[in-house]
């Protein structure tokens, strides 16, 4: 005759136990997570590279208010207000949606002034669509050099007067250009 076999799970008498090697792994993972989170909030978010990324992101988004907030006090005084900044400097809205991506290449601290840093960045900028079809737009790479200084609160601010912006050599987006949705 045939027998019907059933699977019966076996029960371990000791249950699930965490041994010494597992405890060491858990402790190392917890310490690593703590150090990573601490580094992110105390070092990375307060770095010059992060501040420059926020500024270029504001240029990419076409947000002159955020750009103006990231300027050094001397540049703010020279420009006046956000509306003046938008009119005088084409970074305000002139390159909105045209910056495809950017990389911050190197950070060079000023040996004479610890509160000043020079950052080199490479931006990939889409060409304007004026007189072309959308599928004919081109892209080019621009090398910029930004100077950032710490303000009285210890935050990094962009000094446009000391920076060398190759982006400004490109023509800004004309009004009504289909690339920026206008």
């Amino acid at each position: 005759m045939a027998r019907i076999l059933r699977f019966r799970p076996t029960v371990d008498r000791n249950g699930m136990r965490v041994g010494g090697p597992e405890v060491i792994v858990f402790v190392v993972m917890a310490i690593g997570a703590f150090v990573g989170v601490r580094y992110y909030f105390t070092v990375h978010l307060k770095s010059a590279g992060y501040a420059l990324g926020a500024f270029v992101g504001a240029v990419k988004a076409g947000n002159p208010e955020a750009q103006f907030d990231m300027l050094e006090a001397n540049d703010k005084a020279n420009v006046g207000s956000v509306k003046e900044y938008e009119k005088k400097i084409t970074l305000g809205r002139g390159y909105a949606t045209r910056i495809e991506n950017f990389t911050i290449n190197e950070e060079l601290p000023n040996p004479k002034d610890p509160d000043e840093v020079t950052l080199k960045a490479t931006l990939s900028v889409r060409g304007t669509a004026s007189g072309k079809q959308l599928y004919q737009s081109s892209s080019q790479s621009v090398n910029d050099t930004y100077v950032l200084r710490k303000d009285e609160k210890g935050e990094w601010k962009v000094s446009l007067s000391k920076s060398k912006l190759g982006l400004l050599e490109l023509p800004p987006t004309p009004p009504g250009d289909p690339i920026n949705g206008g």
Side-chain angles (χ1 to χ4, degrees):
M1 281 225 206
R3 277 185 171 189
I4 298 175
L5 297 175
R6 291 189 186 183
F7 173 73
R8 295 190 193 261
T10 58
V11 178
D12 188 13
R13 279 186 261 142
N14 297 330
M16 189 173 134
R17 297 172 106 184
V18 177
E22 290 89 359
V23 169
I24 291 172
V25 169
F26 291 147
V27 168
V28 168
M29 286 174 48
I31 290 172
F34 175 75
V35 169
V37 168
R38 184 171 184 263
Y39 172 81
Y40 179 76
F41 285 107
T42 60
V43 176
H44 176 68
L45 290 181
K46 298 184 185 314
S47 70
Y50 183 82
L52 180 59
F55 179 77
V56 175
V59 171
K60 182 178 180 178
N63 186 349
E65 293 85 12
Q67 294 171 38
F68 189 76
D69 288 341
M70 292 294 301
L71 292 181
E72 183 184 28
N74 293 340
D75 288 342
K76 282 183 182 181
N78 289 340
V79 172
S81 67
V82 176
K83 291 190 185 244
E84 297 283 324
Y85 173 79
E86 192 174 353
K87 288 178 186 175
K88 289 181 182 178
I89 301 174
T90 57
L91 285 176
R93 294 194 195 273
Y95 300 96
T97 69
R98 286 186 45 205
I99 298 175
E100 294 171 339
N101 67 14
F102 63 93
T103 56
I104 299 171
N105 299 330
E106 56 186 279
E107 182 176 316
L108 304 168
N110 186 346
K112 297 178 182 174
D113 187 3
D115 291 339
E116 184 174 299
V117 172
T118 302
L119 292 162
K120 295 188 178 190
T122 303
L123 288 79
S124 176
V125 183
R126 187 179 312 124
T128 63
S130 60
K132 300 181 225 173
Q133 298 297 323
L134 281 176
Y135 61 85
Q136 293 175 326
S137 78
S138 60
S139 179
Q140 68 185 93
S141 186
V142 176
N143 293 319
D144 285 350
T145 303
Y146 294 91
V147 176
L148 279 77
R149 294 189 47 80
K150 281 189 179 179
D151 63 359
E152 56 276 348
K153 295 179 186 175
E155 297 174 356
W156 291 102
K157 300 292 182 176
V158 177
S159 176
L160 284 181
S161 57
K162 294 181 180 180
S163 300
K164 296 174 187 167
L165 303 179
L167 181 63
L168 294 177
E169 294 173 8
L170 298 176
T173 306
D177 192 331
I179 276 193
N180 76 355

